[in-house]
Amino acid sequence: MINLLELYVKLGGLVLVGFIMGRKLPVTVPTRLGQFLFRVGVPISIVSFLHRSSLSGQIWIAPAFAYLAILLGGFLAWLAIKGQAYFKNTVPQQSTQASLILAAMLGNTGYLGFPITLAMVGKEYFAWALFYDLFGSFPGTYGLGVLLAARFGGGVHNHWQIAKSILINPALWGFGFGLLFREVTIPTVAEFWLEKFAWSVVTLSLMLIGMRLALLKSWRSLPQAVISLGIKMLLVPLILGSILPLFGLTGAIAKVIVLQMAMPPAFATLVIAETFNLDRDLAVTALAAGAILLLVTLPVWLWLF
C-alpha cells in the first residue's frame, strides 16, 4: 500500500506538472519533447533497463499475450457495437466504430506501462514489459490498428510509409542493441549515469502525458468511451489474467503482464484517428477518462494478482 501511494504521488505529481506546463507552454513543446523521447530518450533508457533485466526462457509468451489482448479487445468491442445495433436499434458511424474498437484494443504500454511496471515490480522483470510492448503492442498498433483504421477511415494512405515507420523505429533498434549490450561490462560511473538518464526519460514521459492531456477538451463521447474502457481495462485483463497460471506464469511475471494488459488506451489511438479521419472526439475522451480510471483499477489488479 505504501508503494502504491508513493507511485500515485509520483505519477500524479509529474503528470500534473506536465498538465500545467501544457497549458502555459506553446503547443510545439510537447511535440518536440515527444520527438526527443521517441528518437533518443526511450531507446537509451531501454538499453539501460535491459542491461540488468532477467530474460527467462518463457519471455516470448509476453508478446503472445499482447496479441491475445489486442484481438480479444477488438472482438469484444465488435460484439458491443452489434449489441447496440440489436438492443437500441442504433448503429454508430464507421468512424466512431473504428475509434471505439481501437480504444478497446491498444494500450499505453510504453510511456505509462513502463514506469508503472518499474515502480511496482522492479527492474529485474522489466524485460517482460519490454517484450510485451515492442514485440506485441507496437506492431499490433501500427500493423493491425492501422489496417483497421484504413478499412474504416477515408483518404489515400501510403502503406510503404507505415511499414517503414515500423522498421526504423528507434525503440526497436534500441531494444536490439540492448540485447547485445547485456554482455558488455561497463565502468560503474558510466552505468550510474546511464541509469540516471533512463529514469529522467521516465520522468519526462510522464510529464509528456500531462502536456498532452492538457490539450484534451472533449467529453461528449463519454458513453461510447466507457464501453471501450470497460473492455480494455476490465474485461480483457480479467479474462486473460485468469489463464496465466495455465502457462506457468505467476508472481511478479504475471503481475507485469496483467499491468500491461490493464493500461488505458494508447496515445497512438488519437494519432491514428487524426490520420485516418476517424472519431477524434471519442479517441480524446477515451484517453482522458482512461488515465483517470487507472487510479481506481490499478490497486485492484495489484490485489488480484
Side-chain angles (χ1 to χ4, degrees):
M1 180 61 70
I2 294 176
N3 290 340
L4 185 61
L5 291 176
E6 290 179 354
L7 175 65
Y8 276 9
V9 171
K10 292 177 181 177
L11 289 179
L14 291 171
V15 172
L16 179 60
V17 170
F19 185 87
I20 295 173
M21 293 176 65
R23 289 296 180 91
K24 302 294 184 180
L25 297 175
V27 179
T28 56
V29 172
T31 300
R32 291 175 180 173
L33 177 58
Q35 291 173 346
F36 166 76
L37 292 175
F38 179 74
R39 295 173 181 173
V40 180
V42 171
I44 295 178
S45 66
I46 288 174
V47 172
S48 175
F49 289 130
L50 194 57
H51 193 251
R52 289 189 175 182
S53 298
S54 173
L55 300 181
S56 70
Q58 289 183 299
I59 199 168
W60 287 102
I61 295 180
F65 269 93
Y67 292 124
L68 284 175
I70 290 172
L71 293 175
L72 179 59
F75 175 69
L76 293 177
W78 176 79
L79 286 182
I81 293 172
K82 294 300 181 181
Q84 282 184 310
Y86 181 79
F87 291 105
K88 297 184 179 181
N89 200 27
T90 58
V91 179
Q93 294 183 349
Q94 283 199 329
S95 62
T96 299
Q97 293 181 38
S99 290
L100 191 155
I101 294 173
L102 289 174
M105 292 170 56
L106 310 176
N108 193 340
T109 55
Y111 287 134
L112 197 54
F114 285 175
I116 289 178
T117 298
L118 287 167
M120 291 290 95
V121 186
K123 291 185 290 184
E124 182 180 358
Y125 298 97
F126 183 65
W128 285 79
L130 281 174
F131 270 70
Y132 187 103
D133 178 73
L134 292 177
F135 289 109
S137 294
F138 181 79
T141 298
Y142 293 100
L144 183 59
V146 167
L147 288 175
L148 177 68
R151 164 65 178 80
F152 284 92
V156 178
H157 311 288
N158 189 332
H159 295 287
W160 161 243
Q161 292 295 328
I162 296 170
K164 184 179 178 181
S165 68
I166 296 175
L167 294 176
I168 66 174
N169 174 35
L172 193 59
W173 285 94
F175 180 77
F177 180 78
L179 290 177
L180 299 176
F181 192 68
R182 284 174 52 82
E183 305 301 326
V184 177
T185 302
I186 61 176
T188 304
V189 175
E191 186 172 6
F192 172 82
W193 287 110
L194 184 63
E195 184 174 356
K196 289 296 182 183
F197 178 84
W199 281 105
S200 298
V201 169
V202 172
T203 299
L204 291 174
S205 299
L206 292 170
M207 293 174 63
L208 177 60
I209 291 175
M211 291 180 186
R212 286 178 169 171
L213 286 177
L215 303 177
L216 307 181
K217 302 175 182 179
S218 174
W219 291 95
R220 65 180 184 180
S221 299
L222 187 59
Q224 296 285 4
V226 168
I227 296 175
S228 294
L229 296 178
I231 293 170
K232 175 69 190 67
M233 302 179 67
L234 296 176
L235 291 179
V236 169
L238 181 61
I239 294 171
L240 296 183
S242 63
I243 67 172
L244 287 175
L246 299 178
F247 296 86
L249 303 177
T250 58
I253 293 175
K255 186 182 296 184
V256 171
I257 294 177
V258 170
L259 288 177
Q260 289 290 73
M261 288 191 294
M263 286 299 105
F267 278 101
T269 59
L270 178 56
V271 175
I272 293 174
E274 291 175 336
T275 302
F276 291 89
N277 299 318
L278 304 181
D279 191 334
R280 184 181 183 276
D281 286 342
L282 176 55
V284 167
T285 305
L287 292 180
I292 297 171
L293 180 61
L294 181 64
L295 299 177
V296 178
T297 58
L298 183 57
V300 175
W301 301 124
L302 292 173
W303 175 69
L304 286 177
F305 295 93

